[in-house]
Amino acid sequence: MSGDATDDWPVALRGVTESVAATLGPNDRWNQAALGLHAPEETGDLVTAVTWGRTRTRGNFERRDGGVIQFTTDPREFVDAALDVTETDQPVRPGAAAWVEVDAERIEAGEEGGTEWVRWALTPRSATVRERTVPTINRGFYAVVDATVAASRLDVPAYGTDALLDRLAYFAETVERCGGPAEREAFARIDDLSGWRERRNESF
């Protein structure tokens, strides 16, 4: 464990840290889904996460009371987790640099914009660090992450479709200019899964 890790988490958390949550489904396969981790605001507080709607992650948390949180360095794995239904035989993906088994406790629930949400407190049980790297800034990688958020909101009435399509166009340009092969491949996957380019062309 590193000295700057958050409690027993394998990495330092601040703000909202994007992760891939593996939860075991009723078919005994691991569902891989993007999950934002909210860092504690006060000493002693737990890391929390919010699930929106009746997702597989929510259902599996309710059935199993936990899962495996991964920190992946592969943007393609993140896109699949964020926008596609991805199930695997094992919880940990090849691109995970670190992961932690967690207990998940439902602590709050509500509704916003017609969508149910549940807030979970996540308590780490055991963590593994596969690799540590010197931090680098790749704008393409972060553009991929932001693009998955925009793409996932395209059919949500509370968000403006035209504005989201414009954002996706900006992120696509950023990936083309600043990303590497993995980021470009990941963005091509966003294109296929969301069909945003066709929708944007239709709006003009």
Side-chain angles (χ1 to χ4, degrees):
M1 291 296 166
S2 129
D4 60 357
T6 303
D7 294 331
D8 293 322
W9 290 77
V11 297
L13 303 176
R14 63 184 187 277
V16 179
T17 300
E18 297 298 337
S19 73
V20 174
T23 54
L24 191 60
N27 60 354
D28 288 328
R29 286 174 60 77
W30 293 88
N31 182 71
Q32 307 282 341
L35 188 67
L37 307 177
H38 296 251
E41 294 185 0
E42 303 288 342
T43 301
D45 288 351
L46 293 173
V47 173
T48 62
V50 178
T51 54
W52 292 87
R54 295 187 175 276
T55 62
R56 288 172 173 81
T57 300
R58 170 181 166 177
N60 293 339
F61 273 167
E62 290 172 343
R63 280 187 290 269
R64 307 281 186 171
D65 298 321
V68 179
I69 303 298
Q70 304 162 79
F71 302 94
T72 183
T73 58
D74 190 329
R76 295 161 295 194
E77 291 181 356
F78 188 82
V79 168
D80 284 343
L83 299 179
D84 202 6
V85 176
T86 303
E87 293 185 328
T88 57
D89 292 329
Q90 301 297 325
V92 177
R93 302 301 309 277
W99 61 91
V100 55
E101 296 179 36
V102 299
D103 294 323
E105 178 186 0
R106 179 183 177 125
I107 57 173
E108 192 180 7
E111 183 178 307
E112 183 176 326
T115 302
E116 295 179 8
W117 58 266
V118 177
R119 186 177 304 278
W120 305 86
L122 304 179
T123 305
R125 284 189 274 119
S126 64
T128 300
V129 176
R130 176 184 282 161
E131 62 180 70
R132 293 196 182 280
T133 58
V134 176
T136 57
I137 303 300
N138 178 339
R139 287 183 60 204
F141 183 93
Y142 298 117
V144 167
V145 173
D146 273 342
T148 63
V149 176
S152 70
R153 293 174 174 173
L154 278 174
D155 296 311
V156 179
Y159 297 95
T161 300
D162 288 344
L164 291 172
L165 292 172
D166 287 344
R167 293 190 69 193
L168 283 161
Y170 171 78
F171 294 139
E173 182 181 346
T174 301
V175 169
E176 187 60 33
R177 286 188 292 105
C178 305
E183 285 75 29
R184 294 191 184 100
E185 186 178 333
F187 211 94
R189 183 76 170 138
I190 295 174
D191 294 347
D192 292 340
L193 291 170
S194 68
W196 72 271
R197 291 183 191 270
E198 292 81 0
R199 295 176 67 169
R200 190 165 189 264
N201 290 336
E202 291 170 359
S203 68
F204 285 103

